[in-house]
Every structure is written in structure tokens, then in C-alpha cells.
């Protein structure tokens, strides 16, 4: 063996490999592309947290899962789910072991950055009718101008009747938009910082321009629209006070690239992890440990509120599950052991290395497109503040599962040190004593109206969650 050959052999033995997964798993192409079809469908009908929860419940019921209220006691093999406020979900397959031995869980969030209607949204200005909006989560505001938008949500009428609004996704529907200024006349704005370029008070959604046909009455353009809404939904202006209506891109999920190797869609953060974990649970069988998935809301605004991961509502529901499996009230110690023995993959998206913005990432500690599930030992910002930093023993446990099942993974950080950062639901569940680590699909253009994932990585996340849950 020559000196060079020997060095090559040593390198092969000692160096870490980061191969492009289309090379190593090209034989799985059919499954990968089939899986993407179901995923795109779910993204298209589940563009808000409420719609995604409704979709998930439908899928779970089709697969034999039942609402927890249908059970008096839970036994090994039972498939159960529970939702809270139509925005969060826990679903589980009960295992043989007692709950104090812990569950294997995958947790993600089902809300995405968007625009919400203000509580008093309806406005007429210069013979045009608008909805006033308030953005939700970390958006780059300019991305929401001059694009087709749809409306989804609920309104409660004064008699208590719930009205669902879903307009703009069906190709036959009208859409809505926020107008941008023409480049011919935007000189006075060009020197502004991007963060100041769009005034959020001017992010008004254009919803109509035909007046009510009585030329004497004031505000007759607003009256024209409200009259239409009253005819169609029975609502009056005050009913918007009792509404939750979200504005999201009307664009549907699409394949991206000549080779269709990527998926472009709104709301993949974090429904890519929610969908893949839902499919992983549905396609799992009962085993020794209880396995579960958890969907949280409000992650994009800091996991606040009684549907966000900071809420004790998740713990109440997990304790309830514990009690239903035991058939009696668990002792305090059993509850503590349950949390300390539970393994949770906090599954959320990360950024991929983008050659167009290479300056924000450390190439050695980045996730790359189609190189497997991204693992973040920690997230946070400014010296690991505000994060769960998984201990080496748990990292090792998770990596061994992935290695054993031949699941490509990559460990990365969210950008260069001190360049920014972000958080997930991980630290809130770590507070309970659970073993938690962040993992998920890495993407381009996170929080935009058209986020990009690798078709391979989506399918690979599904395989990763199956392996983790059933370990
Ligand atoms: Mn997320
Ligand atoms: Mn996000």
C-alpha cells in the first residue's frame, strides 16, 4: 500500500461523512415522491392551526384512533387522541409498560407566521374597502405585499352560532391582497431600512370596491361588502369582535425544480414535522412503551397562551393519559418518574446552508439540503441563552437510534454565533424533566410565503420519527 493509499484509508476510517442523500438512497425515490403527495395535500388543506388539527383528527379517526372521552380506561394497544381548543393535539398508542417508565414522544407546532384580522377590521377609504391586519410571528413584511392571500377562521355570531370562513384557496374563489407601491414612485422609500420599509398600519387587505347602490348613504362601499357578508354568513360588523380570522398565502404547495427535488409551500414551519410525525404515529404498532405525538400552538409568538407549549394544559392532558392507563390516580412519584423517563423529540425546522447568504452560517455547523434530519443540540441566542441544551447522553441515545436504522442526520446550529437565533418548544418541555432534543427538517426561506424543503428530507423525517417512537 502506498503512502497515499494508507492516508486515504485512514481518512475513510476517521473522518465524518456528509453525503448527499439522493446518492445514497436513490432506490427509495418512488416512496419519497409518493409521500410528498400526501404531504402537499395536508399543507393545502391545513393552512392554519385549526385547519391542520381538523385534518389530523380526520386522519387519526380513519386509522382507528378515538377521542379520549370514548374510553373509561386505556389498555395496551388502544389508540387515543385529545384536542384542546381545536388548536392543539396529543395522540398516542398505549404500550405495555406502565407510564412511569416514560413515553416516546415527538412534539411540534402547528401555527405559522401570518397576518391576523384586527378585532375591528372593516374600513372604507377613498371608495375602497379593507380589512385592517396585525401580523403574527416573525414575518418579513414586504413578502406579504402584492401576493394573493386567502382567509381562514371562525366567527361567532351574537346568537352563539359558529361560522367558518374559508375563502381564497379554491381556484373558483376570489383572493385578497395588500397592494405594494409601484417602483416608478417609491423614491422616497428606497433609502429606508428593510425593517421600516413596510408600515404595519398600512398592511390593509383589499376586500372590495363596489358600492351599495344607494348614492345618498354614507360609507356605502363598506355597506356593500358588509351586506354581502351578511347575506352569505349572517354576520354584522360587531361579530368581528368575536372572530379569529387568519390571512395566509393562497398559493398551493408545488414541486420545485426540474427534477422536483424540493417542495415549496407556505406553513412548512412547522407542519412538515407535524405531518411527518402524524404519519409516523399512524403507521406504528403498539409496543412496549407508549408512543405519542403532540402538536402545540402559538410557538411563533413565544409559545404563550393556553394553547402554547408554556401552558400547563399539556401536562394536565399527559397526566390524564397517565391516569387513564393506570386505571387509578398516579402517585406524585409516578408522575415525576413519568416526566423524567419520557423522551421527546422537539421537532421543528432549521435553516439550510444557502449559498446566496453564506455569510450567516458556519459551514462546518450548518444543515444542508438533502443531507438528512437536522438536529440542534441547542437553539437560543447570545451564548446559548433561552434554550434547552440536550445532555450528551440523550444526544448519544438519539444518534444511535438513527444510525441503527440507517437514517441520515446532521447536527447543526442556527447560523453563526451572535448573528441571531431562535427558539422552539424544547425548553418548555425540558422544564418538566423530560429528555428533550431539537430535530427537524432544514429549509430555505423560513417564515416566507414559500418555504422550501427537500423532498428527500421530508420522507427521511418520517422514517426518523418512526425509528424514534418505536425504539
Ligand atoms: Mn418552527
Ligand atoms: Mn418559526
Amino acid at each position: 500500500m502506498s503512502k497515499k493509499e494508507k492516508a486515504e484509508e485512514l481518512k475513510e476510517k476517521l473522518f465524518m461523512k456528509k453525503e448527499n442523500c439522493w446518492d445514497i438512497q436513490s432506490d427509495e425515490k418512488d416512496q419519497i415522491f409518493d409521500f410528498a403527495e400526501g404531504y402537499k395535500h395536508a399543507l393545502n388543506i391545513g393552512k392554519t392551526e385549526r385547519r391542520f388539527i381538523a385534518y389530523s383528527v380526520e386522519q387519526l379517526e380513519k386509522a382507528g384512533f378515538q377521542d379520549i372521552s370514548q374510553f373509561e380506561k386505556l389498555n395496551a394497544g388502544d389508540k387515543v387522541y385529545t384536542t384542546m381548543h381545536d388548536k392543539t393535539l396529543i395522540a398516542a398508542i398505549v404500550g405495555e409498560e406502565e407510564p412511569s417508565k416514560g413515553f416516546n414522544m415527538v412534539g411540534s407546532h402547528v401555527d405559522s407566521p401570518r397576518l391576523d384580522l384586527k378585532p375591528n377590521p372593516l374600513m372604507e377609504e377613498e371608495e375602497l374597502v379593507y380589512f385592517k391586519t396585525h401580523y403574527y410571528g416573525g414575518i418579513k413584511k414586504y413578502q406579504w405585499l402584492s401576493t394573493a392571500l386567502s382567509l381562514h377562521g371562525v366567527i361567532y355570531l351574537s346568537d352563539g352560532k359558529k361560522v367558518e370562513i374559508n375563502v381564497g384557496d379554491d381556484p373558483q374563489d376570489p383572493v385578497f391582497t395588500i397592494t405594494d407601491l409601484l417602483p416608478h414612485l417609491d423614491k422616497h422609500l428606497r433609502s429606508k431600512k428593510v425593517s421600516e420599509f413596510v408600515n404595519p398600519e398600512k398592511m390593509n387587505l383589499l376586500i372590495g370596491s363596489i358600492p351599495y347602490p344607494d348614492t345618498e348613504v354614507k360609507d356605502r362601499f363598506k355597506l356593500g361588502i358588509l351586506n354581502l357578508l351578511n347575506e352569505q354568513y349572517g354576520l354584522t360588523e360587531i361579530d368581528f369582535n368575536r372572530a379569529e380570522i387568519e390571512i395566509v398565502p393562497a398559493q398551493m404547495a408545488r414541486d420545485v425544480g426540474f427534477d422536483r427535488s424540493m417542495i415549496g409551500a407556505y406553513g412548512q414551519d412547522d407542519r412538515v414535522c407535524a405531518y411527518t410525525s402524524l404519519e409516523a404515529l399512524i403507521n406504528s404498532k403498539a409496543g412496549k412503551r407508549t408512543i405519542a405525538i403532540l402538536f402545540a400552538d402559538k410557538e411563533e409568538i413565544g409559545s404563550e397562551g393556553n394553547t402554547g407549549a408554556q401552558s400547563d394544559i399539556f401536562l394536565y392532558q399527559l397526566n390524564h393519559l397517565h391516569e387513564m392507563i393506570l386505571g387509578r390516580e398516579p402517585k406524585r412519584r409516578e408522575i415525576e418518574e413519568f416526566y423524567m423517563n419520557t423522551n421527546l423529540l422537539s421537532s421543528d425546522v432549521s435553516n439550510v446552508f444557502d449559498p446566496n447568504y453564506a455569510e450567516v452560517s458556519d459551514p462546518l455547523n450548518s444543515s444542508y439540503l438533502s443531507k438528512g434530519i437536522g438536529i440542534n443540540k441547542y437553539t437560543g441566542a447570545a451564548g446559548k441563552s433561552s434554550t434547552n441544551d440536550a445532555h450528551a447522553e440523550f444526544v448519544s441515545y438519539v444518534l444511535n437510534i438513527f444510525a441503527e436504522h440507517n437514517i441520515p442526520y446532521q447536527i447543526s446550529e442556527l447560523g453563526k454565533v451572535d448573528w441571531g437565533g431562535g427558539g422552539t418548544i424544547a425548553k418548555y418541555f425540558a422544564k418538566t424533566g423530560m429528555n428533550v432534543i431539537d430535530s427537524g427538517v432544514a429549509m430555505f426561506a423560513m417564515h416566507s410565503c414559500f418555504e422550501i424543503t427537500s423532498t428527500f428530507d421530508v420522507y427521511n423525517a418520517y422514517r426518523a420519527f418512526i425509528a424514534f417512537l418505536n425504539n
Side-chain angles (χ1 to χ4, degrees), residues 109 111 268-270 299-300 347-349 423-424 446-447:
H109 68 92
D111 63 315
Q268 298 197 72
D269 173 9
D270 183 30
E299 194 276 342
E300 298 294 356
S347 293
D348 207 341
V349 299
T424 65
M446 194 193 296
H447 286 200

Side-chain angles (χ1 to χ4, degrees), residues 179-295:
T179 55
D180 197 359
L181 188 59
L182 64 170
H184 316 66
L185 293 174
D186 73 351
K187 232 191 215 164
H188 64 301
L189 293 177
R190 276 185 221 168
S191 58
K192 281 196 187 261
K193 287 192 207 154
V194 176
S195 58
E196 293 161 3
F197 186 75
V198 181
N199 177 349
E201 286 293 345
K202 290 185 178 178
M203 294 182 77
N204 299 320
L205 191 73
L206 189 56
I207 58 167
S209 59
I210 298 178
Y212 187 78
D214 177 345
T215 51
E216 298 301 308
V217 71
K218 209 176 150 258
D219 298 330
R220 62 199 190 99
F221 288 81
K222 174 174 157 179
L223 183 62
I225 289 296
L226 203 49
N227 189 42
L228 267 181
L229 292 174
N230 182 263
E231 280 170 7
Q232 199 172 343
Y233 300 107
L235 62 87
T236 66
E237 189 175 12
I238 200 168
D239 296 330
F240 284 107
N241 292 175
R242 287 181 295 259
E244 248 179 10
I245 296 181
E246 301 176 16
I247 301 161
V248 297
Q251 159 88 55
M252 291 295 165
R254 300 292 299 266
D255 293 333
V256 175
F258 285 117
D259 54 8
R260 299 176 180 264
S261 59
M262 294 162 279
I263 295 165
Y266 163 75
Q268 298 197 72
D269 173 9
D270 183 30
R271 292 179 205 118
V272 65
C273 295
Y275 177 80
T276 47
S277 66
L278 176 71
E279 284 295 309
L281 183 74
I282 284 173
N283 291 295
S284 291
K285 286 195 182 76
K288 223 166 85 179
R289 275 166 91 80
T290 296
I291 61 176
I293 57 168
L294 177 155
F295 294 166

Side-chain angles (χ1 to χ4, degrees), residues 247-446:
I247 301 161
V248 297
Q251 159 88 55
M252 291 295 165
R254 300 292 299 266
D255 293 333
V256 175
F258 285 117
D259 54 8
R260 299 176 180 264
S261 59
M262 294 162 279
I263 295 165
Y266 163 75
Q268 298 197 72
D269 173 9
D270 183 30
R271 292 179 205 118
V272 65
C273 295
Y275 177 80
T276 47
S277 66
L278 176 71
E279 284 295 309
L281 183 74
I282 284 173
N283 291 295
S284 291
K285 286 195 182 76
K288 223 166 85 179
R289 275 166 91 80
T290 296
I291 61 176
I293 57 168
L294 177 155
F295 294 166
D297 177 34
K298 298 276 193 280
E299 194 276 342
E300 298 294 356
I301 56 166
S303 296
E304 310 284 352
N306 70 349
T307 53
Q310 293 203 57
S311 170
D312 289 342
I313 203 167
F314 290 98
L315 312 190
Y316 301 154
Q317 297 299 59
L318 287 170
N319 292 346
H320 181 51
L321 210 53
H322 190 159
E323 183 168 348
M324 293 284 283
I325 296 169
L326 273 186
R328 62 169 169 81
E329 202 176 315
K331 297 191 187 108
R332 199 198 64 194
R333 187 59 189 160
E334 287 173 320
I335 294 174
E336 291 167 354
E337 283 179 344
F338 162 73
Y339 284 108
M340 290 190 289
N341 290 325
T342 286
N343 299 322
L344 174 74
L345 277 189
S346 159
S347 293
D348 207 341
V349 299
S350 187
N351 66 316
V352 288
F353 186 89
D354 187 338
N356 292 321
Y357 303 99
E359 70 276 12
V360 306
S361 296
D362 165 12
L364 199 54
N365 286 284
S366 276
S367 280
Y368 291 81
L369 197 73
S370 306
K371 291 197 175 175
I373 188 159
I375 297 171
N376 288 137
K377 185 175 182 292
Y378 46 85
T379 58
K384 295 193 178 182
S385 80
S386 245
T387 185
N388 163 62
D389 189 351
H391 47 92
E393 289 76 8
F394 189 56
V395 180
S396 172
Y397 166 83
V398 173
L399 298 193
N400 286 343
I401 295 172
F402 291 165
E404 194 185 315
H405 291 87
N406 196 22
I407 287 155
Y409 65 83
Q410 43 189 342
I411 300 200
S412 60
E413 295 193 344
L414 186 75
K416 278 183 181 165
V417 180
D418 281 355
W419 273 58
T424 65
I425 62 171
K427 64 172 184 165
Y428 304 114
F429 287 102
K431 239 173 104 174
T432 68
M434 288 180 190
N435 297 303
V436 184
I437 189 167
D438 279 302
S439 71
V441 175
M443 59 164 54
F444 288 115
M446 194 193 296

